[in-house]
Amino acid sequence: MLEYLWRAAWCLHDTGDASAEAWVARHARTLLAGGVQQTAAALKAAARAARLRGTKRKGIDDAVNYLTSKAEHLRYDTALGRGWPIATGIIERACRHLAKDRLDITGARWGLSGAEAVLKLRAVRANAFHRLAALPRPIG
């Protein structure tokens, strides 16, 4: 959700504007407290107040559409109240890459120790790959 909030923020703030961070933080806190509809309404109101039209309000429109279409899945207050983890899309994709794609294959049966060992190996391998990919390439 933060990605959507940041895109909405850049519709209202100039690039590098420090107040954009406070704007995003305020709306993120509202979302975490369960204010999905409140946040969607605030974003629409901000776009109207700024008289944004067309592509200049695309980030806000995308955020509002996401909030309204996914509201039933954005119950952050309930998840936090019950001690459930919440994650960003990046974390969710990493979990899928490391765990689900390997452990959720048809016909697989995993015990806890075997699954943990495979996940540790996949994490080490993924970290090593990303570190190697970040190294400068030799010239020549």
Side-chain angles (χ1 to χ4, degrees), residues 17-99:
D17 184 349
S19 65
E21 187 171 341
W23 187 91
V24 169
R26 185 175 76 248
H27 290 297
R29 282 191 297 276
T30 301
L31 286 170
L32 290 172
V36 173
Q37 298 304 329
Q38 180 183 350
T39 302
L43 296 180
K44 285 181 192 177
R48 276 193 307 274
R51 294 190 167 111
L52 297 177
R53 302 266 185 250
T55 59
K56 293 195 181 267
R57 63 178 284 155
K58 182 177 177 357
I60 290 175
D61 290 339
D62 289 348
V64 168
N65 290 337
Y66 183 83
L67 286 169
T68 56
S69 68
K70 305 287 187 192
E72 67 184 63
H73 303 292
L74 301 174
R75 296 180 184 155
Y76 296 120
D77 56 329
T78 301
L80 292 171
R82 293 181 180 171
W84 298 342
I86 59 174
T88 66
I90 293 168
I91 292 171
E92 290 169 356
R93 285 188 294 275
C95 289
R96 179 172 180 242
H97 171 71
L98 289 174

